[in-house]
Amino acid sequence: MGGTMDGTKQQRRGNTRQRIQDVALELFAEQGYEKTSLREIAERLDVTKAALYYHFKTKEEITVSLFEDLTKPLENLIEWGRGQPGTLETKREILRRYSEALKDAQPLFRFMQENQATVRELRIGDTFKDRVRGLRDILIDTEAPLVEQVRCFSAVFTLHAGMFVMADLEDDPEKRRAAVLEVAMDLVTQAHESTHGKS
Amino acid sequence: MGGTMDGTKQQRRGNTRQRIQDVALELFAEQGYEKTSLREIAERLDVTKAALYYHFKTKEEITVSLFEDLTKPLENLIEWGRGQPGTLETKREILRRYSEALKDAQPLFRFMQENQATVRELRIGDTFKDRVRGLRDILIDTEAPLVEQVRCFSAVFTLHAGMFVMADLEDDPEKRRAAVLEVAMDLVTQAHESTHGKS
Amino acid sequence: MGGTMDGTKQQRRGNTRQRIQDVALELFAEQGYEKTSLREIAERLDVTKAALYYHFKTKEEITVSLFEDLTKPLENLIEWGRGQPGTLETKREILRRYSEALKDAQPLFRFMQENQATVRELRIGDTFKDRVRGLRDILIDTEAPLVEQVRCFSAVFTLHAGMFVMADLEDDPEKRRAAVLEVAMDLVTQAHESTHGKS
Amino acid sequence: MGGTMDGTKQQRRGNTRQRIQDVALELFAEQGYEKTSLREIAERLDVTKAALYYHFKTKEEITVSLFEDLTKPLENLIEWGRGQPGTLETKREILRRYSEALKDAQPLFRFMQENQATVRELRIGDTFKDRVRGLRDILIDTEAPLVEQVRCFSAVFTLHAGMFVMADLEDDPEKRRAAVLEVAMDLVTQAHESTHGKS
DNA sequence: CATGAATGAGCATTCATTCAT
DNA sequence: AATGAATGAATGCTCATTCAT
């Protein structure tokens, strides 16, 4: 406290907003949204609770901002997907890119996966559902038989699950990601081929 | 007040414990564990909070009891599975029975899926993880290539997801279950065959 | 603390609700509604804040209950007045009784007079306005010339003001009340006679 | 941003202090002193809270300044009154001028009437009481019978009440003012004549 | 088998105020 | 003449839990 040039305080200037987001996400993912109090976040940052309120109007707003910032890449991906033809190759490319994108958004996704009940109440809930629906619309052929639709859905879910739950199957996250992606690809491919035939 | 034959109070006698569990599970699944207060549960049952404490020592205990009661069938299933040979047919039967079991435990599973962060803190967390691990050990061949292990994991997840998230793919829950089960079966079959060859 | 038979704690049983109301009214009147915190009320009663919430759902509810309890006599008076013929004697009797009633409701009225801005926001606001309007309707002849209407209004206000603001005109509250009542009576009498003639 | 001729900012130059007072008074009168935060005032003016502190040392100082600026005319009136002989005509003239003065100070008076509890705590409280006392000393003959003193007090109160509370008796504020003034005059006249005889 | 009354700890939020720039 | 960033203290309110009756 009160250091002169050690940068401890200096560094903090101007990026407090960012630091709040970081700590918040970390704690939300770790202990859940409800169990993480603003006091805790503030303490971790060595500021007062009131400082948080200078940067965000409410606790929910912190979450929303988190979501909006970290979710952009996915949004772009979906946008891109919508412009492509509905070929198998498009679908496979979507999965590839999605898997990549998830890597960066990991903590956010963990937070959302583990706090679904909470997320549903927050404003994000709907936005997120829209996003997942967007993905679904690209991957899934509504005309296809139900089983094939499920296969595609399952592909997406496998990707999600691969990030956290399968952690004890394989330590190296990159290897895990590759394996998970392969399974997802297979699922989508199977679905596509049994609907459109192998072209 | 002091009525003799209205039955409203009579009926309630003796099964309060059960009723607490029912209401608690319903609310936990609907709004999340943290957001459901004992006051709310008590109000819904038209008793006082203190009455809950006559039947359960803590809020957590309500949850644990819920979990223990509703989870028995799964436990039995795993027990059964462990005694069987590791053939493909065993695995497929496990999936069949698991899918069936999930049907009854639906609200519990919804609660667990949507409140993972909370569940982790509660004592249940580990117990549940043990259980899932048990399932995994039966389905997954630790020697098999990573991709095939993922496929099996994915099968289990697909079963879970099928209960809630895929609701908008198909209205009829029975048809949905059938399709989901089929996909899960395919995944396990594929995994088995590419590891052991088609026997 | 921890006395055995001195009644300090004994006395408190069962009338906490009442005691909350008493202290609340006292403080509201003394320092204003907004400046009186629940902490303060609780401390004065030597209970915790949470205890207040066992008896009242919100701070506003304390106020509403206060108002409802203390305002009954006035309500009855207005009810009575409505059933009487619109003669001068009725009006004078109303003033007499109103003056009497105000005596008991003194602290409440002080609170309302001194916190008008607050009262307006609270639910009471409207109820109270209705009540005053009821009184007005009995005393004031809507057909009468504006000046006479004002005279009647002024009579009511004089009664109110007499309770607090005129305190330094005369120490003895009973003498004060008599004088104030006389002025109010004169005002209403004047208004009545110049509208209906001296009958 | 940085526009040269839009005038929006230009106009605001140099009179910020004045504008703070205006907005503050408006909000104080509308929602009460306690319920009006500096944040709200600042937002309404499109400046930061800190800007307010450039112009006023505290929230209370804003209020005091308001009071001092808007109260001058009354002060002058009382000054004038003190120099006059205590005749009925003087008293009547005081009422006439007071009624006029109230017209301009309306929002201030509304603020003071509706936030009496608050005003009492502020430094203004006493100053204001002095002022009202000054008025009283001119209008009221301390030797006169109590009833007549009350009548005079009532006159002043009628004038105050006429500004807000009687609004629903008559829409046209000028007519209302005239009627109210007439009643007040009558009261004072009566008081004077029954004390000194009709001269 | 249950209630009435209360507690202690905590929470999200707001406020008036400060100060370096 | 004003801002950006922050503080310290308080507020209304909720929660899980306790215990005498």
Side-chain angles (χ1 to χ4, degrees), chain C residues 59-78:
Chain C
K59 188 184 181 186
E60 177 166 356
E61 219 199 72
I62 299 183
T63 321
V64 171
S65 81
L66 237 35
F67 179 78
E68 274 168 2
D69 288 10
L70 291 167
T71 240
K72 261 283 154 53
L74 295 187
E75 212 177 341
N76 295 339
L77 172 57
I78 291 165

Side-chain angles (χ1 to χ4, degrees), chain A residues 28-35 110 113-118 120-122 129 133 136 140 146-151 153-154 157-158 161 165-166 168-170 175-176 178-180 182-183 186-187 190, chain B residues 28-35 110 113-118 120-122 129 133 136 140 146-151 153-154 157-158 161 165-166 168-170 175-176 178-180 182-183 186-187 190:
Chain A
F28 287 168
E30 198 177 294
Q31 359 172 324
Y33 178 79
E34 321 276 357
K35 282 216 162 171
R110 184 164 166 219
Q113 259 254 330
E114 305 207 335
N115 297 275
Q116 290 177 49
T118 299
R120 219 175 337 128
E121 317 271 280
L122 264 39
K129 235 176 179 167
R133 225 186 298 270
R136 201 196 61 187
I140 297 184
L146 182 56
V147 184
E148 307 309 330
Q149 294 189 33
V150 168
R151 241 184 274 273
F153 222 128
S154 179
F157 253 72
T158 300
V165 203
M166 296 190 191
D168 45 354
L169 281 187
E170 161 67 53
K175 277 195 194 155
R176 204 166 68 226
V180 163
E182 191 180 331
V183 172
D186 280 4
L187 280 162
Q190 257 176 274
Chain B
F28 288 168
E30 200 176 292
Q31 2 172 325
Y33 178 79
E34 321 276 357
K35 281 213 161 172
R110 186 167 164 212
Q113 258 255 329
E114 304 207 335
N115 296 277
Q116 290 177 49
T118 299
R120 219 174 337 125
E121 316 271 281
L122 265 39
K129 235 174 180 169
R133 224 185 300 267
R136 201 196 62 187
I140 297 183
L146 182 56
V147 184
E148 307 309 331
Q149 295 188 34
V150 168
R151 238 183 274 274
F153 223 128
S154 179
F157 252 72
T158 301
V165 204
M166 297 190 190
D168 45 354
L169 281 188
E170 163 66 51
K175 277 193 194 159
R176 205 165 68 226
V180 163
E182 191 179 332
V183 171
D186 280 5
L187 280 161
Q190 258 177 273

Side-chain angles (χ1 to χ4, degrees), chain C residues 29-32 34-35 110 113-117 120-121 133 136 140 146-147 149-151 153-154 157-158 161 165-166 168-170 175-176 179-180 182-183 186-187 190, chain D residues 29-32 34-35 110 113-117 120-121 133 136 140 146-147 149-151 153-154 157-158 161 165-166 168-170 175-176 179-180 182-183 186-187 190:
Chain C
E30 197 177 293
Q31 359 171 325
E34 321 276 357
K35 282 217 160 171
R110 183 162 166 219
Q113 258 255 329
E114 304 207 336
N115 296 276
Q116 289 178 50
R120 220 178 334 130
E121 316 271 280
R133 224 185 299 269
R136 199 196 64 187
I140 297 183
L146 181 57
V147 183
Q149 295 190 34
V150 167
R151 237 183 277 274
F153 222 129
S154 179
F157 254 71
T158 300
V165 204
M166 296 190 191
D168 46 353
L169 280 187
E170 162 66 51
K175 276 194 193 156
R176 205 165 68 226
V180 164
E182 190 180 332
V183 172
D186 280 5
L187 280 161
Q190 258 177 276
Chain D
E30 201 176 291
Q31 1 172 325
E34 321 277 356
K35 281 213 160 172
R110 186 166 163 214
Q113 256 253 332
E114 305 207 333
N115 297 276
Q116 289 177 49
R120 220 175 335 128
E121 317 271 280
R133 225 185 301 267
R136 201 195 61 186
I140 296 182
L146 181 56
V147 183
Q149 294 189 34
V150 168
R151 238 184 275 275
F153 223 128
S154 178
F157 252 72
T158 300
V165 205
M166 297 191 191
D168 45 354
L169 281 187
E170 162 67 53
K175 276 193 193 157
R176 204 165 68 226
V180 164
E182 190 179 331
V183 172
D186 280 5
L187 280 161
Q190 258 178 273

Side-chain angles (χ1 to χ4, degrees), chain D residues 26-94:
Chain D
E26 193 183 325
L27 290 177
F28 288 168
E30 201 176 291
Q31 1 172 325
Y33 178 79
E34 321 277 356
K35 281 213 160 172
T36 303
S37 70
L38 294 188
R39 180 178 51 71
E40 212 174 346
I41 297 177
E43 254 163 26
R44 189 97 129 200
L45 288 168
D46 207 35
V47 294
T48 51
K49 268 183 295 170
L52 305 187
Y53 279 90
Y54 177 82
H55 294 282
F56 299 94
K57 265 210 286 284
T58 63
K59 188 184 181 186
E60 178 166 355
E61 217 197 76
I62 299 183
T63 320
V64 172
S65 81
L66 232 38
F67 179 78
E68 274 167 3
D69 288 11
L70 290 166
T71 240
K72 261 286 153 52
L74 294 187
E75 214 175 341
N76 294 339
L77 172 56
I78 290 163
E79 211 59 53
W80 176 86
R82 263 200 259 270
Q84 299 304 111
T87 66
L88 176 57
E89 192 38 44
T90 296
K91 293 177 183 174
R92 295 174 59 98
E93 183 59 21
I94 287 278

Side-chain angles (χ1 to χ4, degrees), chain B:
Chain B
M1 273 159 226
T4 31
M5 20 177 214
D6 64 308
T8 338
K9 279 265 173 185
Q10 253 78 358
Q11 248 189 5
R12 288 186 178 157
R13 271 274 165 65
N15 59 342
T16 306
R17 202 189 135 93
Q18 172 72 38
R19 289 175 61 235
I20 293 172
Q21 289 179 317
D22 291 352
V23 169
L25 180 51
E26 192 184 326
L27 291 177
F28 288 168
E30 200 176 292
Q31 2 172 325
Y33 178 79
E34 321 276 357
K35 281 213 161 172
T36 303
S37 69
L38 295 187
R39 178 176 54 68
E40 214 173 344
I41 298 177
E43 254 163 26
R44 190 97 126 197
L45 289 167
D46 207 36
V47 295
T48 50
K49 269 184 294 171
L52 305 187
Y53 279 89
Y54 178 81
H55 294 282
F56 299 95
K57 265 209 288 284
T58 63
K59 188 185 181 185
E60 179 166 355
E61 218 197 74
I62 299 183
T63 320
V64 171
S65 81
L66 232 36
F67 180 77
E68 276 167 1
D69 288 11
L70 290 166
T71 240
K72 261 286 154 50
L74 294 187
E75 214 175 341
N76 295 338
L77 172 56
I78 290 165
E79 211 59 54
W80 175 86
R82 262 201 259 272
Q84 299 304 110
T87 67
L88 175 57
E89 192 38 44
T90 296
K91 292 177 184 173
R92 296 173 58 98
E93 183 60 19
I94 288 279
L95 287 183
R96 250 179 245 117
R97 295 190 183 197
Y98 191 57
S99 167
E100 199 78 34
L102 283 182
K103 218 172 28 175
D104 304 329
Q106 252 218 40
L108 179 68
F109 264 73
R110 186 167 164 212
F111 159 55
M112 298 196 64
Q113 258 255 329
E114 304 207 335
N115 296 277
Q116 290 177 49
T118 299
V119 165
R120 219 174 337 125
E121 316 271 281
L122 265 39
R123 265 183 297 142
I124 333 171
D126 299 330
T127 325
F128 183 65
K129 235 174 180 169
D130 283 357
R131 220 142 283 183
V132 168
R133 224 185 300 267
L135 202 64
R136 201 196 62 187
D137 289 346
I138 301 173
L139 293 176
I140 297 183
D141 200 339
T142 357
E143 317 285 85
L146 182 56
V147 184
E148 307 309 331
Q149 295 188 34
V150 168
R151 238 183 274 274
C152 291
F153 223 128
S154 179
V156 176
F157 252 72
T158 301
L159 250 34
H160 287 179
M163 293 197 306
F164 328 108
V165 204
M166 297 190 190
D168 45 354
L169 281 188
E170 163 66 51
D171 285 337
D172 177 352
E174 208 41 56
K175 277 193 194 159
R176 205 165 68 226
R177 200 170 69 84
V180 163
L181 180 56
E182 191 179 332
V183 171
M185 295 275 238
D186 280 5
L187 280 161
V188 164
T189 306
Q190 258 177 273
H192 189 87
E193 291 185 343
S194 59
T195 310
H196 303 84
K198 309 191 194 191
S199 86

